[in-house]
Amino acid sequence: MSLQTAGIHHITAFAGDPQANVDFYAGVLGLRMIKKTINFDAPDVYHLYFGNEEGSPGTIITFFPFPGARRGQIGGGQVGFTTYVIPPGTSAFWKERLYRFGISVVEADRFGEHYLQFKDHEGLQLELVERAEGAASTWSFAGVPAEKAIKGFGGAILYSTNPQRTAHVLESVLGMEKIGEFAGFTRFRTTGELGNLIDLPMSAVPRGAGGAGTVHHIAWRAKDYEEHEMWRSVVGSDGYQPTPVIDRQYFNAVYFREEGGILFEIATDPPGFTVDEAPEALGEKLMLPEWYEGKRAQIENGLLPITVRVPKKI
Ligand code: ZN
């Protein structure tokens, strides 16, 4: 039985101050904060989710913001760059917007595409690329009109300590197709319209260190619960050690570390982010899973207040 993921479900990273995190991803990038919850494994820390209006798989970046967190070091065993897709013809708008926020942009070409590469306020590496693929955004915030807004992930650049083995897991386990090589990168493609192109530098990258401004894990899509069970056995039968299925409220998760050091997750598309909030109210209230509701007052008291707001530089 061979399975094929449609692409990235979400990417999860570490951050420091939660308000600065909201200001960058909602305020500068114009994404919607679709969920404000806590780290289910450490309820004194937020878990913030940013995506398109609906919080569709393939658009969601999530953060654990630890106030005062030490910076990490980007390196092998991590996602190196998180790639976002913008509509064709909008690069100039984004370049100008990033410039206005004092963010330096490096322009790079890869596989015939033009990338705007930059860092968030804590050093997390991001890039924008124009592509026609992927449904247009319907969300407009902080001076980013929907027709120029980020549509979701284009993919990612994976920094591996063992690229040959990471290539193996992408092809043989996740079912991606190797489609090209360019300047030391191998490109893999899968079926989704977003989060479907993964670039892997084929020279080993020295190991990084976790901390603010680094990615913790990358999650790949499973279309339903039945397929998710199959994914767990596919991962296990290839010699990786998957965790049991874990209920993450908005999706079910299985994690395993691939041999290049990157923590992979397989996450289900269902039930999605409207399971506990109406679509128009996503992200407004602190959402807790049932098992933490009894401690709501204590949890809320331990978290710094955050607001989604339009940044002053607009
Ligand atoms: Zn995850």
Side-chain angles (χ1 to χ4, degrees), residues 257-272:
R257 197 170 292 279
E258 56 86 35
E259 292 155 280
I262 307 166
L263 185 60
F264 278 8
E265 174 186 341
I266 309 280
T268 53
D269 283 0

Side-chain angles (χ1 to χ4, degrees), residues 90-235:
T90 61
S91 275
F93 166 84
W94 280 100
K95 223 169 111 173
E96 210 274 319
R97 181 175 175 89
L98 294 169
Y99 174 78
R100 258 191 301 132
F101 283 103
I103 298 165
S104 347
V105 171
V106 172
E107 303 196 41
D109 290 297
R110 212 163 68 240
F111 295 100
E113 295 181 304
H114 191 67
Y115 291 81
L116 303 179
Q117 299 187 322
F118 58 102
K119 294 176 180 177
D120 81 358
H121 57 295
E122 293 177 314
L124 193 83
Q125 296 186 141
L126 302 165
E127 59 181 10
L128 300 176
V129 64
E130 294 184 3
R131 279 183 201 152
E133 253 188 327
S137 168
T138 52
W139 187 249
S140 171
F141 185 69
V144 182
E147 68 272 14
K148 291 180 176 162
I150 287 172
K151 298 196 260 188
F153 295 130
I157 301 179
L158 303 182
Y159 283 179
S160 172
T161 60
N162 188 343
Q164 299 302 332
R165 296 304 296 166
T166 301
H168 168 81
V169 76
L170 294 177
E171 283 189 285
S172 304
V173 178
L174 296 176
M176 295 185 191
E177 184 192 355
K178 180 174 158 179
I179 58 164
E181 291 180 356
F182 175 85
F185 289 93
T186 298
R187 172 161 281 195
F188 299 85
R189 181 175 62 197
T190 187
T191 55
E193 289 227 305
L194 290 171
N196 59 326
L197 289 170
I198 303 300
D199 290 345
L200 178 67
M202 293 312 289
S203 312
V205 179
R207 188 169 285 280
T214 67
V215 169
H216 179 252
H217 66 265
I218 182 167
W220 308 101
R221 295 174 65 180
K223 72 174 191 301
D224 54 32
Y225 301 113
E226 193 189 349
E227 193 191 272
H228 198 234
E229 290 292 343
M230 291 194 276
W231 272 111
R232 197 171 172 276
S233 30
V234 165
V235 167

